[in-house]
Amino acid sequence: MKNLTYLLPGEDATAFIFRLFKLSPLGKIEDVYEYLNLKRLKLVPGDFQSPTEQAVLRHFAQDIDELQANHGHWKRFDYCLTSHQTRERVSEANIGKFKRFTCNGSNGFLNKPWRWCNRCAIEDEEHFGISYFKRDHQVQGVFSCNKHDTELLEGCDNCGWQPTTLRIFNHPLRHCPSCAASFVDRPACVPEKLKQVQDFSLAMAYGALTLSSREIIELFKQYIGIDEIEEGDGDYFVLVREFHRRLAAYFSIEELQQCFSGINVTRAENRVRALRSNKFFSEAGQSALPLAPVALSYGLAFLDSQMPDQNIAKAA
């Protein structure tokens, strides 16, 4: 079993559990959980607060920060927490506990199934003897494979099957396990604005944004025009409402529907509940809810288009 316990390049840390199950002599997935000393929890693709991910990464004798940058999702959350929340999470981790936060607008985001690039799967099978799920393809706000510029597959076009669990579809296959139809490559047709969202989503996943969460907040405040206005001032709310209107109007309905639910279209504006509830411009106190990473990616894509001189997109 020790010879099988390794991560392949760019492999998603939680999906690794099921690849290990596929290759191991263990008869049940429960035996893999026991071998890795994991609790049985529901595994959601792209979960940026997964305790299972952290437990898996601790099995490898490598720098945990590097493992998170290349195989995990936690780093995206570093840009979304207030300074108090960051200290709280670190404090809990230091005593072996796990702190899970509820994000702003958490019920306004679409849940994606496990996704993969068909060309990556074919190449990985040739190079490593088995295909596997990539971390980058599970990141919310990523819409295509950067390597091949192909659309990420989410299931079968023929019968509608989707891999919501990896218990059976534990690594990408070339044919649908339900109807046996072949999976087909499709070139990516990602609009330019969603490419911006994707770039920010990946930069956050790798921990590569040069801006801290505090600096991001200050940039939003500067753009909105509230950097020197008290929150209780009447002008404050007028400026914030106008910002939300411009942010939602920057993207088309189709672009918003890639990641958000609860979108209402009126004559005057697009209303996106999850975007409006994420306060990109406020680092509130202990009771504040953190930003959601994919909402921040949309917000940064908008801000970068409005403030090109700030070089927001620059990565470390």
Side-chain angles (χ1 to χ4, degrees):
M1 282 291 290
K2 289 185 177 180
N3 292 334
L4 300 175
T5 312
Y6 58 88
L7 288 166
L8 292 170
E11 183 171 19
D12 187 272
T14 52
F16 156 79
I17 298 169
F18 294 89
R19 181 177 64 82
L20 178 62
F21 171 58
K22 173 69 176 179
L23 297 176
S24 76
L26 300 177
K28 298 185 296 185
I29 187 64
E30 289 77 11
D31 296 332
V32 176
Y33 274 85
E34 183 177 351
Y35 173 77
L36 295 174
N37 194 26
L38 301 175
K39 294 181 179 180
R40 288 302 312 277
L41 298 173
K42 182 179 180 181
L43 301 182
V44 179
D47 186 356
F48 50 87
Q49 297 191 78
S50 171
T52 302
E53 173 187 301
Q54 299 307 297
V56 167
L57 293 179
R58 284 197 294 269
H59 276 270
F60 302 100
Q62 294 173 248
D63 178 67
I64 189 67
D65 194 61
E66 181 180 348
L67 287 171
Q68 287 175 345
N70 292 290
H71 302 279
H73 297 270
W74 269 41
K75 281 191 169 293
R76 286 188 293 152
F77 210 32
D78 290 342
Y79 301 98
C80 302
L81 297 173
T82 66
S83 56
H84 171 81
Q85 290 161 348
T86 299
R87 290 193 298 270
E88 188 177 5
R89 184 169 76 154
V90 171
S91 176
E92 292 284 303
N94 287 339
I95 59 175
K97 293 186 178 181
F98 177 80
K99 174 69 177 180
R100 191 175 183 96
F101 296 91
T102 299
C103 292
N104 272 311
S106 57
N107 62 345
F109 301 98
L110 296 178
N111 293 321
K112 297 284 188 179
W114 290 90
R115 299 180 293 166
W116 73 101
C117 165
N118 200 40
R119 290 180 61 182
C120 279
I122 293 171
E123 291 178 0
D124 293 337
E125 190 173 331
E126 293 173 351
H127 294 159
F128 303 108
I130 190 171
S131 58
Y132 58 96
F133 287 97
K134 304 290 180 71
R135 185 282 306 272
D136 289 4
H137 298 163
Q138 315 313 320
V139 173
Q140 291 176 312
V142 169
F143 311 100
S144 64
C145 175
N146 263 356
K147 181 179 180 181
H148 297 111
D149 196 27
T150 53
E151 183 180 324
L152 293 179
L153 301 181
E154 298 184 358
C156 179
D157 292 335
N158 185 56
C159 71
W161 169 88
Q162 288 187 322
T164 55
T165 176
L166 299 185
R167 185 176 276 271
I168 297 175
F169 193 73
N170 39 48
H171 68 104
L173 302 174
R174 299 192 188 188
H175 301 85
C176 174
S178 178
C179 71
S182 297
F183 294 125
V184 179
D185 298 330
R186 289 190 293 263
C189 298
V190 181
E192 194 59 39
K193 292 175 183 177
L194 289 188
K195 288 181 181 178
Q196 291 178 295
V197 172
Q198 177 162 305
D199 288 344
F200 276 110
S201 297
L202 287 174
M204 290 164 62
Y206 282 97
L209 282 184
T210 57
L211 298 172
S212 66
S213 59
R214 181 70 253 175
E215 291 169 329
I216 290 172
I217 290 170
E218 292 302 322
L219 279 174
F220 275 109
K221 290 172 66 176
Q222 180 185 336
Y223 170 72
I224 298 169
I226 57 173
D227 45 338
E228 297 182 0
I229 299 179
E230 293 292 331
E231 186 168 340
D233 190 287
D235 290 339
Y236 179 94
F237 296 105
V238 172
L239 292 169
V240 166
R241 282 197 299 270
E242 177 60 18
F243 162 71
H244 282 139
R245 187 192 67 78
R246 291 196 301 265
L247 172 59
Y250 177 71
F251 299 98
S252 70
I253 293 298
E254 292 75 19
E255 290 166 347
L256 293 168
Q257 288 173 335
Q258 293 294 316
C259 291
F260 302 102
S261 61
I263 301 173
N264 297 318
V265 184
T266 68
R267 290 182 179 181
E269 61 182 313
N270 301 330
R271 291 180 175 268
V272 187
R273 182 174 65 245
L275 282 180
R276 292 175 72 90
S277 63
N278 275 268
K279 296 179 173 58
F280 307 108
F281 44 83
S282 176
E283 181 171 17
Q286 299 181 13
S287 62
L289 298 180
L291 299 175
V294 70
L296 182 55
S297 295
Y298 273 79
L300 287 172
F302 167 75
L303 198 63
D304 189 45
S305 71
Q306 306 299 305
M307 304 175 71
D309 294 340
Q310 294 292 339
N311 200 23
I312 299 170
K314 184 179 179 182

